[in-house]
Amino acid sequence: MADVLERRAVVSGVGQSQVGRRIDRDPLDLTVEASLRAIEHAGLTRDDIDGIATYPGNMDTPAGFSGVGVSELHDALRLNLNWFHGGLESPGQLGSVVNACMAVATGLARHVLCFRTVWEATAQGGGGRAAVTMGGGGGGRGFRAGSFMQWTLPFGAPSAANWIAMMAQRHFHEFGTTREQLAWIAINARANAGLNPHAIYRDPMTLDDYLSVRMISTPLCLYDCDAPADGSTAIIVSAADTAPDLARPPVRVEAVGTALHGRPSWDQFDDLTTMALRDAAAMMWDRTDLSPADVDVAELYDGFSFITLAWLEALGFCAKGEGGPFIDGGERIARDGVLPLNTQGGQLSGGRLHGYGFLHEACTQLWGEGGDRQVVRGGGRLPEVAVAAAGGGPLGASLLLTRS
Amino acid sequence: MSDAGTQEQAAKPFRLLPRVTPENEHFWRGGEHGELRFLRCRECGYWLHPPGPVCPIELSRDLEVAAASGRATVHTFTVNHHPWIPGYDPPYVVAIVELPEQEGLRLTTNLVNCEPDDVTIGMPVRVLFDHHDDVWLPLFEPDPDADG
């Protein structure tokens, strides 16, 4: 195996702001709150931070998708940076964290403050239904769609809900997957959210609740779609040799996966049932001697429930096409199951923190700081290996993390 | 546009339209001639979608505009129930159809002239065009001439 440079990186601290629906706070305020908590959690001061990485960087549309870019946080904290990065075109949200790993591995920076801030609950509440982009140009008469959106907007399919729904439908067709099976991604998330005081939706959900809620885009119903939220998540990525300076033994980065070998498209990708997750996951396992059986906890993106099922298959926790039977009944993916899944409630019940929430939770579990929702494995053992993965469609990256 | 044409357009359901450019106009305006048009490589016959300046197979720049048969099968679909866009009244069927000309040559489109509950993956469909301003949107409907 070639030198796996990401092993020179660790996660030294994590922090999260207040999270909720329309909490009426400025997104930069939330970002500063999350950042200062993460810096303190790592045992560092702001003078130690010499890098920033974020996804997607500052953009005005869609409303609330990004409230804060690198520059605003940089200036708010008056940091002296040796390296920084913000951008949309990366292997999903965690591509920014992978970039930070490489920055510390190559010596460009020592401690990189990675963050993702969403403000979609407030932005959509004030500006009408703005959960979907109009191709970067807003809506209204006279508007014309460009780039990828020209191929979907005219047909009334502006949302990833429509695109992912068609991927799920194809999976249902090829493998016999059912709504009654897919439901367990949402039901499991809700059960875990009940143990997370910061989750947005905490009341128990039954299979009947799931099957009777309104449809969004078949086969996806409301409970298959994540909940727009306001909140910020910060992750400090540090050079591994800073471990003696840190507040706690850091979480090690064992391997990352960032590949996209098919076409970068939501409708032209060769296998709509796997999406790019197939390539990212395969690359990650190629960079480690660990295997899926070693994983104690999986935190897998659920912008839509079907994406989690696709990550389960891509990462090899079950065979391709077997995701439905694997999650059916919810026993395998429960906190005391063979593969505890989305232990904070995911984005479905915890709020759409857009990828970073899964990395935050994976580290929290490895540190044993999960409180009521802490996973304990057989024999009272705390989790030692976790996967955090984010993205769907042609965007995706995964990280394999281990306890020091 | 004539007054009659304007009235015909005004009576139609609202559609968001693509920005027509020299690179994509063969596709968005092919319907004026009743044709579903793509760029195609003169050297190897590969169909390009979305259009680009070069054939991705052997990187030939010798491309021509060619008409596909207009027949397709439903690769996957969804019945959209959510009112994302004012003027688009749910439920309606969004589909990805695959063209017989080439494996993986697909379009996102709407299926019309059929009940949403009757749509199945693998269903044969054929193109029809929905004219708005300077754009002919390729939609698909069940193909009565298909075998089986």
Side-chain angles (χ1 to χ4, degrees), chain A residues 73-395:
Chain A
L73 184 62
H74 182 179
D75 198 47
L77 299 182
R78 299 293 162 92
L79 302 173
N80 293 314
L81 301 182
N82 292 318
W83 177 86
F84 53 93
H85 161 85
L88 181 68
E89 292 191 297
S90 74
Q93 305 85 355
L94 294 181
S96 53
V97 176
V98 174
N99 284 347
C101 291
M102 290 303 142
V104 299
T106 56
L108 291 177
R110 298 285 283 167
H111 299 283
V112 179
L113 170 52
C114 307
F115 74 94
R116 174 79 181 98
T117 301
V118 289
W119 208 50
E120 293 176 308
T122 291
Q124 292 173 27
R129 189 175 293 110
V132 296
T133 178
M134 296 296 176
R141 303 280 163 172
F143 164 80
R144 290 293 183 107
S147 63
F148 174 70
M149 295 303 281
Q150 73 176 295
W151 310 111
T152 63
L153 268 186
F155 308 104
S159 170
N162 302 126
W163 315 337
I164 297 291
M166 290 193 281
M167 296 171 178
Q169 190 78 54
R170 184 74 198 180
H171 195 279
F172 282 28
H173 172 75
E174 288 191 25
F175 305 112
T177 315
T178 66
R179 289 193 64 222
E180 287 76 6
Q181 293 171 337
L182 188 60
W184 289 97
I185 298 291
I187 296 168
N188 176 71
R190 183 61 65 88
N192 288 333
L195 299 171
N196 176 6
H198 303 295
I200 290 180
Y201 297 116
R202 303 182 62 206
D203 294 335
M205 179 192 294
T206 66
L207 182 58
D208 282 345
D209 293 336
Y210 174 92
L211 292 173
S212 58
V213 78
R214 72 184 172 94
M215 197 57 77
I216 298 296
S217 192
T218 61
L220 303 182
C221 66
L222 182 66
Y223 293 152
D224 291 307
C225 306
D226 61 1
D230 297 344
S232 180
T233 306
I235 307 283
I236 311 292
V237 170
S238 299
D241 63 10
T242 67
D245 307 331
L246 303 173
R248 57 180 54 65
V251 168
R252 292 184 54 252
V253 179
E254 169 70 14
V256 302
T258 51
L260 171 55
H261 292 174
R263 293 183 67 183
S265 165
W266 292 81
D267 59 3
Q268 306 294 318
F269 192 82
D270 52 295
D271 188 345
L272 297 181
T273 68
T274 68
M275 306 178 274
L277 322 182
R278 170 194 70 194
D279 304 324
M283 176 179 167
M284 186 186 82
W285 291 123
D286 279 348
R287 297 170 74 79
T288 179
D289 293 327
L290 296 177
S291 71
D294 296 313
V295 174
D296 291 310
V297 61
E299 310 293 352
L300 309 180
Y301 188 76
D302 62 358
F304 301 95
S305 56
F306 175 70
I307 299 175
T308 309
L309 186 152
W311 272 118
L312 285 169
E313 294 183 8
L315 287 162
F317 295 120
C318 58
K320 181 181 179 183
E322 295 294 318
F326 183 80
I327 62 177
D328 200 358
E331 291 178 12
R332 291 186 185 84
I333 56 175
R335 283 189 319 118
D336 58 355
V338 293
L339 186 72
L341 177 69
N342 295 355
T343 49
Q344 88 285 35
Q347 297 182 180
L348 294 173
S349 287
R352 175 178 160 82
L353 298 170
H354 214 218
Y356 269 54
F358 297 97
L359 179 55
H360 182 282
E361 178 67 7
C363 295
T364 298
Q365 290 287 340
L366 291 175
W367 277 315
E369 298 175 0
D372 290 344
R373 67 182 190 280
Q374 178 64 47
V375 169
V376 179
R377 305 293 274 166
R381 179 175 65 83
L382 286 175
E384 293 172 7
V385 180
V387 173
L395 307 167

